[in-house]
Amino acid sequence: MANEFWQPSAEIKTLQARAELLRDIRAFFAQQGVLEVETPILSSFSNTDPKLSPIRAVHQATPGATAQEMYCQTSPEFAMKRLLAAGSGAIYQICKVFRSGESGQRHNPEFTMLEWYRPDYDEHQLMDELETLLRKLLGYGTFERLSYQKLFESSLGINPHRSTVSELAALATAELDIELPDQGLGRDAWLDLLFSHVIEPQLKQAHFIYDYPASQAALAKVETNADGIEVARRFELVIKGMEIANGYKELTDVAEQKRRFLLEQELSSDKRPCDENLLAALEHGMPECAGVALGLDRLLMLRTGLDSIAAVLAFPFERA
């Protein structure tokens, strides 16, 4: 049988559309005076988030030398924050990132990310800039903004910050037409199931969702809102039921960052080492800023009207 996997999965016109998208993004940031940077794909450290699985690599400096385990980066975030601490000012990067176990219609283990950071911005100002960029790239006119709480209240009639685990489990059992795990799940797991399987598919236009539960802060600052509820100062952008971007008012407190690293290590099965370089950068002093990561392959899917990530990649994982 002839091997047809040598051929690209994307049409040449789609690859041309990718080149045009990259050109338009670079032109936008050049006009805004944001510096383009490059940081390593391979690192001695990795994100400790137990939800993200890095792809490992082995480096041997010379034949016979002790092999050093490295990580293909799940995001350029840590290295870019080191640049911010060194005084880079506003920066952006277009790069390849890698996440093990992510494969499907919207996922590929290797994908392209646009990430940028704005000193002295908060998450709402960064939403403004992201909206401006996407209006140019996609031609969309309306971007709705809803808090995480209001989205759950309007879609499911519950307050996600106040609902108990048993209430969330009962609602998920009633709402979801999928096989649920036998073992008990925590609050965030039930919230994630409800969001991804019930709410997200309903978001047919462009929607910014902000003020996530504090337990889902990741690397965002946490504050108490007017209702006395601790919320994470982060947002996600969902367009046509698909997550496109994830942004934060960035955490700058080194002690809190270390605490979160150690907590993630406890929850992780592989005990990835904390990034000591990032902690040193935060101790030196990183400016108050907001940052966002945007999946460029998914953005290209929207721009071209294609419905699978393989259709916008030259050679997806199966053909690599």
Side-chain angles (χ1 to χ4, degrees), residues 9-260:
S9 59
E11 296 183 10
I12 299 303
K13 67 178 182 180
T14 305
L15 301 182
Q16 293 169 339
R18 177 182 286 270
E20 292 169 0
L21 176 64
L22 296 176
R23 179 201 64 201
D24 292 345
I25 290 170
R26 287 189 164 101
F28 175 84
F29 284 113
Q31 187 176 40
Q32 301 300 315
V34 181
L35 176 68
E36 182 173 10
V37 299
E38 290 185 349
T39 57
I41 287 176
L42 280 177
S43 175
S44 302
F45 302 103
S46 174
N47 195 314
T48 55
D49 187 340
K51 294 181 180 179
L52 300 179
S53 298
I55 294 176
R56 288 170 165 78
V58 175
H59 169 63
Q60 199 169 19
T62 58
T66 301
Q68 178 183 1
E69 184 175 55
M70 307 287 287
Y71 298 90
C72 297
Q73 289 303 282
T74 58
S75 162
E77 179 173 5
F78 292 175
M80 292 183 77
K81 286 181 173 178
R82 289 162 62 188
L83 290 176
L84 289 165
S88 66
I91 52 176
Y92 82 98
Q93 182 168 186
I94 297 171
C95 62
K96 292 289 187 178
V97 294
F98 303 83
R99 296 181 184 180
S100 182
E102 296 199 1
S103 184
Q105 186 174 1
R106 297 176 176 177
H107 296 86
N108 194 65
E110 175 186 350
F111 60 101
T112 305
M113 181 177 285
L114 165 64
E115 190 154 330
W116 79 93
Y117 292 85
R118 280 288 203 170
D120 300 320
Y121 274 37
D122 64 20
E123 68 274 29
H124 294 281
Q125 290 170 298
L126 196 57
M127 279 187 257
D128 292 340
E129 184 166 62
L130 176 53
E131 182 175 332
T132 299
L133 172 62
L134 293 186
R135 284 179 186 274
K136 293 179 179 293
L137 298 178
L138 299 177
Y140 285 10
T142 303
F143 286 74
E144 186 177 8
R145 300 190 187 190
L146 289 169
S147 72
Y148 188 88
Q149 178 177 333
K150 288 190 179 300
L151 188 60
F152 268 80
E153 288 174 342
S154 62
S155 299
L156 295 171
I158 62 165
N159 183 331
H161 304 294
R162 305 291 194 194
S163 299
T164 65
V165 172
S166 59
E167 288 171 339
L168 294 172
L171 181 60
T173 302
E175 291 282 347
L176 299 177
D177 188 23
I178 60 173
E179 184 176 347
L180 296 173
D182 293 331
Q183 298 182 351
L185 299 178
R187 283 181 48 80
D188 284 329
W190 286 118
L191 288 171
D192 286 346
L193 276 172
L194 288 167
F195 184 85
S196 61
H197 286 77
V198 180
I199 295 175
E200 197 171 59
Q202 298 175 6
L203 304 179
K204 301 302 184 183
Q205 301 303 315
H207 300 265
F208 284 106
I209 301 106
Y210 61 91
D211 283 357
Y212 276 68
S215 55
Q216 299 179 27
L219 299 181
K221 287 181 178 287
V222 171
E223 70 174 19
T224 303
N225 67 15
D227 297 323
I229 298 171
E230 282 197 333
V231 295
R233 296 189 61 176
R234 56 172 287 220
F235 67 86
E236 288 188 6
L237 173 62
V238 178
I239 301 179
K240 294 185 177 180
M242 180 167 61
E243 180 195 338
I244 299 299
N246 189 4
Y248 306 144
K249 172 65 175 175
E250 299 292 345
L251 180 64
T252 57
D253 185 305
V254 63
E256 174 61 14
Q257 181 63 78
K258 188 170 184 178
R259 186 193 71 80
R260 292 190 197 180

